[in-house]
Amino acid sequence: MVKAMRPLPLLPSLPSSLMESGPLQYLASELKWYDNSLESALALYRRGLPPLVTLPTLAFLFGVSPSLVASIVAAPEAHYRHFTIPKATGEPRSISTPRVVLKTIQRWIHDWILPHANLHRDAHAFRKSRSIFSNAQSHVGQVNLLAVDLADFFGSVRFEQVAAIYEDLGFPWVVAAQLASLSTLGGSLPQGAPTSPALANAVFHDIDVMLAEFANGRTASYSRYADDLAFSSTYHRFSVSDVDAVSGIVGVGGFRLNPRKTQIVGGGYRHQVAGLSVASHPQPPRWKRRRWRAMFHQASVDPSSFQNEAAKLAGVASFVNQYRPDLAESYMEIAIRASRTP
């Protein structure tokens, strides 16, 4: 018999009295698990993962009908809403956000399964204690820079790659496929799903390994912030052949570069990594800092004219706090005054 263990992570439908009597035994009895399923569940549970070892388990934990989960898996399109937002270039960006039930399941997957996925040390986006600033840090003061951008990052991740992530975590293939179906739309990652960023990072892990090896071979540093890849070196001068090599590496995983966003920069020129200047320390470029300074000066002189933009001011202040806490404090005071202006 399996001994009673700590409560399972976020099981919405199980009352505490049942949890105390032994959650795995209870699930095994209710779902009629065979001995090998119970052993697999215990192995997952000991690693801090939910014991999803059969297809009905997920529905049971959420207290919903298995047919509802099956319908989402079979026709996920009906469980999303779609809209577009403009990119910085003005081009439309397609967003697909899951509806309530699917979003709840995806957030649970994000919180209790995906933190166990293997991520590369040089991947900085969508991670606690990492940021756009930590991503840029290793490129500060370098002489040469190669910056490339991945085209359609989320859309390039395929269903099979997502299922492989779940299977590698220890879930049986049928469950891994179920989880992948709940995380993908049209065979790829939807931009707007809570699970997509972490899954994209996990799928890209092996590519990150190869890109880090590519950088080491050129006495260069490597980092990635989502779809922005950067390589910098004091000694190696990057060339088109390096771009071709990077293109070949990412192509192994089914990804491709956006040629319009490829930059090769040498000494004497401004270096930017994912939108941050890396001359002396990571910070926004000078033109942006000047624009913010002028905006906050105007807001301090006439706070009433910025009453409807107080949230924007607070957002900028929060961003500035990541590299200039002293300046951010004064910016936040101005934002608060604008919000309180009658």
Side-chain angles (χ1 to χ4, degrees), residues 144-148 211 214-215 217-218 220 231 233 236-250 257 262-264:
N144 304 296
L145 175 70
L146 168 61
V148 299
L211 291 173
F214 162 85
R218 290 158 177 77
F231 307 84
S233 175
H236 180 76
R237 297 187 64 178
F238 297 102
S239 66
V240 173
S241 64
D242 292 312
V243 177
D244 292 339
V246 171
S247 180
I249 292 171
V250 301
L257 301 184
T262 297
Q263 298 182 54
I264 300 175

Side-chain angles (χ1 to χ4, degrees), residues 102-165:
L102 180 55
K103 180 178 286 188
T104 302
I105 293 173
Q106 288 180 347
R107 282 179 173 163
W108 184 78
I109 291 172
H110 173 273
D111 291 344
W112 295 101
I113 295 179
L114 295 181
H116 295 268
N118 193 19
L119 305 183
H120 195 269
R121 65 180 183 277
D122 294 321
H124 292 263
F126 320 123
R127 302 178 68 178
K128 292 181 180 179
S129 74
R130 305 285 183 95
S131 69
I132 195 172
F133 291 93
S134 66
N135 174 72
Q137 186 61 50
S138 60
H139 306 290
V140 170
Q142 298 277 34
V143 177
N144 304 296
L145 175 70
L146 168 61
V148 299
D149 185 84
L150 297 171
D152 193 19
F153 183 41
F154 287 174
S156 299
V157 177
R158 313 313 302 169
F159 171 90
E160 294 78 10
Q161 294 171 306
V162 174
I165 294 297

Side-chain angles (χ1 to χ4, degrees), residues 262-283:
T262 297
Q263 298 182 54
I264 300 175
V265 187
Y269 295 89
R270 295 176 182 173
H271 290 191
Q272 288 190 18
V273 174
L276 295 181
S277 169
V278 290
S280 58
H281 62 277
Q283 61 180 344

Side-chain angles (χ1 to χ4, degrees), residues 10-314:
L10 278 184
L11 300 187
S13 67
L14 298 187
S16 58
S17 59
L18 292 174
M19 301 295 282
E20 293 169 0
S21 67
L24 292 184
Q25 296 97 321
Y26 173 75
L27 290 173
S29 173
E30 291 293 314
L31 296 169
K32 297 179 173 56
W33 285 349
Y34 294 105
D35 289 343
N36 59 341
S37 293
L38 185 56
E39 291 174 4
S40 298
L42 180 58
L44 288 166
Y45 193 22
R46 283 173 172 165
R47 294 175 53 208
L49 287 160
L52 305 179
V53 292
T54 62
L55 290 180
T57 306
L58 184 96
F60 185 82
L61 296 183
F62 275 85
V64 299
S65 168
S67 62
L68 174 58
V69 176
S71 71
I72 298 175
V73 169
E77 178 72 25
H79 297 271
Y80 285 86
R81 61 185 185 91
H82 310 281
F83 57 93
T84 60
I85 59 174
K87 298 181 182 180
T89 59
E91 300 175 4
R93 183 191 303 276
S94 298
I95 304 295
S96 299
T97 60
R99 299 187 185 276
V100 175
V101 174
L102 180 55
K103 180 178 286 188
T104 302
I105 293 173
Q106 288 180 347
R107 282 179 173 163
W108 184 78
I109 291 172
H110 173 273
D111 291 344
W112 295 101
I113 295 179
L114 295 181
H116 295 268
N118 193 19
L119 305 183
H120 195 269
R121 65 180 183 277
D122 294 321
H124 292 263
F126 320 123
R127 302 178 68 178
K128 292 181 180 179
S129 74
R130 305 285 183 95
S131 69
I132 195 172
F133 291 93
S134 66
N135 174 72
Q137 186 61 50
S138 60
H139 306 290
V140 170
Q142 298 277 34
V143 177
N144 304 296
L145 175 70
L146 168 61
V148 299
D149 185 84
L150 297 171
D152 193 19
F153 183 41
F154 287 174
S156 299
V157 177
R158 313 313 302 169
F159 171 90
E160 294 78 10
Q161 294 171 306
V162 174
I165 294 297
Y166 291 123
E167 188 177 30
D168 289 344
L169 286 171
F171 297 104
W173 171 252
V174 290
V175 172
Q178 180 190 51
L179 292 171
S181 296
L182 293 168
S183 310
T184 57
L185 177 63
S188 62
L189 293 179
Q191 189 155 329
T195 45
S196 291
L199 283 169
N201 263 352
V203 167
F204 209 80
H205 172 269
D206 291 349
I207 306 297
D208 281 327
V209 171
M210 290 187 282
L211 291 173
E213 292 174 351
F214 162 85
N216 289 338
R218 290 158 177 77
T219 60
S221 298
Y222 164 67
S223 73
R224 178 177 62 83
Y225 192 83
D227 54 2
D228 287 308
L229 283 59
F231 307 84
S232 64
S233 175
T234 298
Y235 308 102
H236 180 76
R237 297 187 64 178
F238 297 102
S239 66
V240 173
S241 64
D242 292 312
V243 177
D244 292 339
V246 171
S247 180
I249 292 171
V250 301
V252 172
F255 298 89
R256 56 188 175 86
L257 301 184
N258 182 347
R260 294 182 299 172
K261 294 188 177 181
T262 297
Q263 298 182 54
I264 300 175
V265 187
Y269 295 89
R270 295 176 182 173
H271 290 191
Q272 288 190 18
V273 174
L276 295 181
S277 169
V278 290
S280 58
H281 62 277
Q283 61 180 344
R286 183 178 299 174
W287 67 266
K288 184 172 288 188
R289 301 197 309 271
R290 286 177 173 173
R291 178 182 294 178
W292 289 344
R293 186 163 59 245
M295 179 176 66
F296 278 95
H297 173 71
Q298 294 173 9
S300 66
V301 173
D302 185 13
S304 62
S305 64
F306 283 82
Q307 183 179 16
N308 295 330
E309 297 187 68
K312 177 182 177 181
L313 294 173

